[in-house]
Structures are given as C-alpha cells and as structure tokens.
Amino acid sequence: MASLNHPNIATIYELLQEAEGISYLVLEYIPGQTLVERIASARLKPQEALSIAHQIADAVAAAHELGIIHRDLKPGNIKITPEGRIKVLDFGLAKVLSSETVDQQNTVTIPGRIMGTPAYMCPEQARGLEADERCDIWSFGCVLYEMLTGKVPFEGETVSDTLAGILNREPDWQALPKSTPANIQVLLRRCLEKDSRRRRPEHRIKNSFQTNATKLTAAWARFFRANRIGVGISIDGPAHLHNSQRSYRSGKGSYEDVLRGLSLLKEYEVQFSGLVVVDEATLKLGAHRLLDFLVGQGIFNFGFLAAKPKNQPAAEAGTTVEHYIEPARMNVFLKDLYDAWLNRGDRNVKIRELENLKAKIRNGVTESCTLSGKCWGHYYMIEPDGDVVVCDVFSGDSRYTLGNIMNNSFTQIAKNTKLLQLKNEHRDAMEAMSGCPEFDVCKGWCPHERYVSIRHNKRHRDDCCGLRDLITYIRNRMAEEIKMS
C-alpha cells in the first residue's frame, strides 16, 4: 500500500509490527475537518458535493488501478484540508489489520463474514461475501447520497435493521435536492445497484481535451474547470525546440502562446498535463534537461510520444522516413528519463509511460490501452464526419475504418469483417511474441507501434514489440529501490 501516491490519498509511510503481533500503520497527518463534520455543519450545495465526490472518485480509481480496495469508504475516513483538498484515509485498513471486533455504532470487522461500516456496506459485504472494487463503488454512492441529502441511504435502529435495508430496500430517491443534475441521479442509481454485476468498475467516463494551448481563453478555462475537464497541452520543450516543430504558417513559433495558455489553466486551477513528442532535437537535448524544463514550467504530469511519420499503408518494409524515433532509441531516452525521475525524488512528478510500466510490473494491471493486449474492438474513434476508426493513430488508412455512425449501429461495426480480420492478425502477432520473457508486461505493446515498425524500422523483429530492454531495465531498477529502502 505504500505504493499509493495520489494527491487525494493520505500517504501511508509504512506498516510496523510489534513483538506482540500488533500491526499498525504510520500515516500522514492531515489537518482539517472530516466529511462527517462538514455534513453535520450544514447541507452541502450540489456543486460542492460534486467537487468533493470527484476528488474521492479520483482517489478510489487510483487505488483500484493498483489492485487496492478500500472496503470501508465513509465520511469518517475522508478529510477536507484547510485549502479544500480532499484526502481519503485508511486505505486497505481492513486488509492489513485482522481483528474480530464489532462496534455497533461504527465499524464491523469480522474476517470471513462482515467487514466494513454497516451504513456504507455493499450488499455483498452485508451477506458476508468477498469484497471487490464494486463494493467501493457502492460506498462511494452512499457517501455522495449523504452529501446531497444530509442522511445515509440506508439506516436502521440496529445493525441488523441497517443490513436488512441494504439488502431489501431502495433509498429514498425523493430526498435528493430538486437541483441534483439528472446525470448525477443516474450515477447514484448505478452506484447503488444491489446486483453487483450492474456496478461494473470498468465503466468510467472521463472528459479530456488535448490542445496546443495557443487559443485558450479565460472563458475556456472557466468552462474546463466547471465541467471538470482535464486538459492535455502539447509542449515539446524549451522555445528553440518547441518552435522548430510547432510554428504558425507565418513562421512565428507558438511557444509564447503555449505558455500563456498554460498560465491560464494554472490561474483557474484546471487539471492539466503535458504531452511531449520526442524527436531528434529532443534526444540531443537529453532527458535530464527536458525533465528540469517541464517541472520548471509547473508541469508535473506528462507523457512522451516517439516521433512518427504519417501512416503510409503501402510502404515496404524498411522504408526510410524522416521524423521517426524507433523503439530502440526511444528506450534509451526513457531509461535516462527514469534515472532523472528517480534522482529528482519528487513524488508529485508523474510520467505516464513509466508509471504504466511500473504498475504493470508490480501488479500485473494498468489502465493503459497500449499494454492491454486487447484493444481491438474495445476502443473506437469517431471522426467529425461520423467515420468510426479502431483508434485515432490509424487515421488515414482506410483499412482501419469500420463504418459510419450515421449509417451503422455499433453492433454492426463490432461484427464488421475488417475488425474480425484485424483481430485475427493481432492474435497471430501476439502468438509470435508470446515467447518474450517480458510479454506478460508488454502484451505485444500498441498495435500501431508494430504497424509503423514493420514499415520503417530496419531492426524490426516479429518476436519482440521493442519494449523488452526498457521493461527489464525498469524491473531491475525497481528491485534496487526495494533493496535500498
């Protein structure tokens, strides 16, 4: 659990065990009031409740990505700092501390039977069954309902009465404020579905906006913040490097306009990240200097993409192109970046590609589509004209266009012969790479990486996606970190 590192989760420093066998956690001290105290002080307006709920959801989602289930999410385990930031406490406490205690007013923990706080237990917990991510989804719904109505959705005079309500009754939906948005009411009903199969944790809706930031205005920034839309900014490094690839038709570089847009996002407290395209100039600059630059601009969350040419469906194997950093050279850059990242020692700095690989090595799971091995038919992109493409990276190659939503249903698109053929080809490619010692981590990597490599990488291999050296390097560094800790 010490791997949990998120701005909305109280830091767990270590788990200690005394000679008597008593275990305890060393946690970050969080000043402020609990959500219990905030709810008791005055009814929350829907906008405030949703702001708090969004931060709670971010924390729970981050934990689930690492395979960690809270199992006792409730207002008493949520604090609001004086600055207004939400901190979720006691992650995984029931897993760590095995005690057979029953507190009729607060927490029930009976291993193998009941674990959690009665008013926030999901039906599975109430029946003594094993808890999974869907129980946290239920508890989240209970907390949101309580913030909006001032009362828990299921309440009884005794623990047994409360559990009976959870199993057999519906919440009082009429108690929700009339101003509660319709989509939030739908969300609550889904969170509080008694059948856990209808509380699917993989159902998540995220709104994001990728931009070069040159046309951002205060109105846009207010819109992003009001609608909780995360913004990704394309920024390729210092002025000379950025302007060499991102300039206007007039020849003027866009760097200064990007910084102005970045400043607006900071001013309006919009969640943002950076996206860097790594090309020859980036490699020359070096990973250490680039990382220093990004952090110096106040960008702490970013991703890196290797420069690639436009899709050339008819290109023969080994065709030389400009603006292409093949996997081997990108791996060298990312190894240097990993070292620079570790040397900096700043837990607030998040690097998408490295975080994803570490999570996959450590836990075997990650949300990254590029490491899933099963993206075909799971992701779609819809073009402005309605064309449905398997992924935006394949735009320009008609073989990957599956239909048009103006003419085809998604059921028809899912049965498209093109998609079936692509799945078959992907299966064969996965089989060819399955002997790689790091295959369980990469799962063949992104199919588009293979698409480009086959055509333009003179060192392309059918039995390796190209990530092996990087994965092995990170795995070894992680082992060294454990020894040093």
Side-chain angles (χ1 to χ4, degrees):
M1 287 186 297
S3 62
L4 274 177
N5 180 18
H6 189 274
N8 296 119
I9 296 177
T11 301
I12 301 172
Y13 292 113
E14 58 182 327
L15 170 65
L16 300 176
Q17 190 169 26
E18 294 184 339
E20 295 80 6
I22 299 175
S23 300
Y24 58 95
L25 293 172
V26 179
L27 304 174
E28 174 187 11
Y29 169 71
I30 306 295
Q33 62 179 175
T34 66
L35 186 54
V36 170
E37 296 166 329
R38 174 62 190 88
I39 293 172
S41 66
R43 176 75 66 87
L44 279 74
K45 295 181 179 179
Q47 194 62 34
E48 182 184 358
L50 295 179
S51 175
I52 293 173
H54 185 272
Q55 296 181 65
I56 297 171
D58 278 350
V60 173
H64 287 179
E65 288 178 19
L66 296 175
I68 299 173
I69 307 165
H70 195 294
R71 300 201 291 186
D72 196 20
L73 189 65
K74 59 185 179 181
N77 281 336
I78 299 165
K79 294 200 75 172
I80 308 171
T81 71
E83 297 77 29
R85 183 183 293 278
I86 298 303
K87 290 280 190 176
V88 178
L89 315 177
D90 295 342
F91 251 101
L93 192 61
K95 280 189 173 182
V96 175
L97 302 181
S98 179
S99 59
E100 297 189 4
T101 60
V102 178
D103 181 334
Q104 292 290 338
Q105 297 180 350
N106 291 308
T107 300
V108 176
T109 305
I110 305 178
R113 293 179 60 197
I114 297 177
M115 303 183 74
T117 301
Y120 305 92
M121 279 184 184
C122 65
E124 307 91 89
Q125 285 175 296
R127 294 169 56 202
L129 301 178
E130 184 67 25
D132 61 20
E133 297 99 325
R134 292 169 291 188
C135 287
D136 283 349
I137 292 173
W138 172 282
S139 301
F140 169 79
C142 291
V143 172
L144 178 54
Y145 180 96
E146 186 174 357
M147 286 194 290
L148 292 169
T149 66
K151 62 179 183 180
V152 293
F154 305 98
E155 191 171 24
E157 292 184 4
T158 66
V159 170
S160 296
D161 291 340
T162 299
L163 298 182
I166 290 170
L167 293 171
N168 303 309
R169 293 197 302 271
E170 283 292 310
D172 178 9
W173 298 116
Q174 299 302 315
L176 291 171
K178 293 182 179 180
S179 59
T180 304
N183 61 332
I184 299 303
Q185 296 184 45
V186 172
L187 171 67
L188 276 171
R189 289 179 181 273
R190 176 165 290 180
C191 288
L192 298 178
E193 284 277 4
K194 297 189 187 298
D195 184 345
S196 63
R197 292 173 299 179
R198 304 184 69 176
R199 269 181 273 125
R200 290 185 283 183
E202 66 269 21
H203 278 187
R204 297 178 190 166
I205 299 175
K206 294 183 179 179
N207 294 316
S208 59
F209 188 87
Q210 183 66 37
T211 175
N212 58 23
T214 59
K215 300 296 182 182
L216 289 184
T217 63
W220 273 113
R222 287 192 294 268
F223 173 80
F224 292 141
R225 181 178 179 181
N227 293 279
R228 301 198 172 281
I229 297 176
V231 178
I233 292 180
S234 298
I235 181 168
D236 293 337
H240 72 281
L241 197 157
H242 179 90
N243 288 338
S244 67
Q245 294 294 334
R246 301 183 186 273
S247 59
Y248 300 110
R249 289 184 179 180
S250 64
K252 176 189 175 185
S254 62
Y255 179 77
E256 293 299 328
D257 289 335
V258 172
L259 293 190
R260 179 187 53 77
L262 179 61
S263 179
L264 276 173
L265 296 178
K266 293 176 183 177
E267 178 183 349
Y268 286 90
E269 299 181 337
V270 176
Q271 185 176 2
F272 66 89
S273 60
L275 182 62
V276 180
V277 174
V278 177
D279 60 11
E280 299 290 350
T282 315
L283 298 182
K284 185 175 181 180
L285 178 70
H288 289 255
R289 291 174 62 188
L290 183 58
L291 181 60
D292 288 343
F293 165 79
L294 292 169
V295 174
Q297 294 298 327
I299 305 174
F300 297 95
N301 191 333
F302 31 80
F304 293 86
L305 297 177
K308 295 182 182 65
K310 291 183 179 180
N311 292 330
Q312 299 179 21
E316 296 182 358
T319 299
T320 302
V321 288
E322 295 181 355
H323 199 62
Y324 177 42
I325 303 298
E326 65 273 17
R329 290 199 293 161
M330 188 65 181
N331 283 351
V332 173
F333 173 82
L334 289 175
K335 289 177 186 178
D336 289 344
L337 184 65
Y338 189 88
D339 291 341
W341 185 37
L342 287 186
N343 292 338
R344 178 171 284 275
D346 188 343
R347 305 179 81 182
N348 293 317
V349 176
K350 307 291 184 182
I351 302 176
R352 182 183 63 187
E353 288 73 21
L354 302 181
E355 294 273 8
N356 287 336
L357 286 172
K358 288 188 70 172
K360 194 72 184 291
I361 291 169
R362 183 188 297 113
N363 307 300
V365 295
T366 177
E367 280 196 335
S368 171
C369 63
T370 62
L371 301 175
S372 70
K374 54 180 181 180
C375 57
W376 299 107
H378 289 259
Y379 302 89
Y380 298 99
M381 186 198 72
I382 302 175
E383 298 277 17
D385 63 359
D387 279 349
V388 179
V389 184
V390 290
C391 181
D392 64 300
V393 293
F394 288 103
S395 293
D397 189 335
S398 60
R399 188 165 180 261
Y400 296 84
T401 299
L402 306 178
N404 189 289
I405 57 171
M406 305 301 292
N407 307 314
N408 311 108
S409 69
F410 267 101
T411 299
Q412 292 173 319
I413 289 170
K415 295 179 179 179
N416 187 296
T417 56
K418 284 184 177 181
L419 182 57
L420 296 177
Q421 178 63 30
L422 291 170
K423 286 183 176 180
N424 289 335
E425 292 175 6
H426 179 65
R427 181 195 61 220
D428 293 341
M430 293 280 282
E431 178 64 26
M433 291 183 283
S434 61
C436 173
E438 298 292 4
F439 181 75
D440 285 343
V441 176
C442 70
K443 292 298 182 182
W445 199 17
C446 173
H448 187 256
E449 296 286 348
R450 190 162 62 249
Y451 175 98
V452 177
S453 181
I454 289 172
R455 290 163 174 78
H456 306 297
N457 183 6
K458 294 183 182 299
R459 290 185 287 178
H460 174 79
R461 292 172 51 181
D462 289 335
D463 65 345
C464 179
C465 70
L467 279 184
R468 181 192 302 174
D469 290 346
L470 177 61
I471 295 171
T472 301
Y473 184 81
I474 292 176
R475 186 189 298 280
N476 292 338
R477 290 303 310 269
M478 290 172 66
E480 292 174 7
E481 293 171 53
I482 294 174
K483 289 180 181 179
M484 295 175 61
S485 62

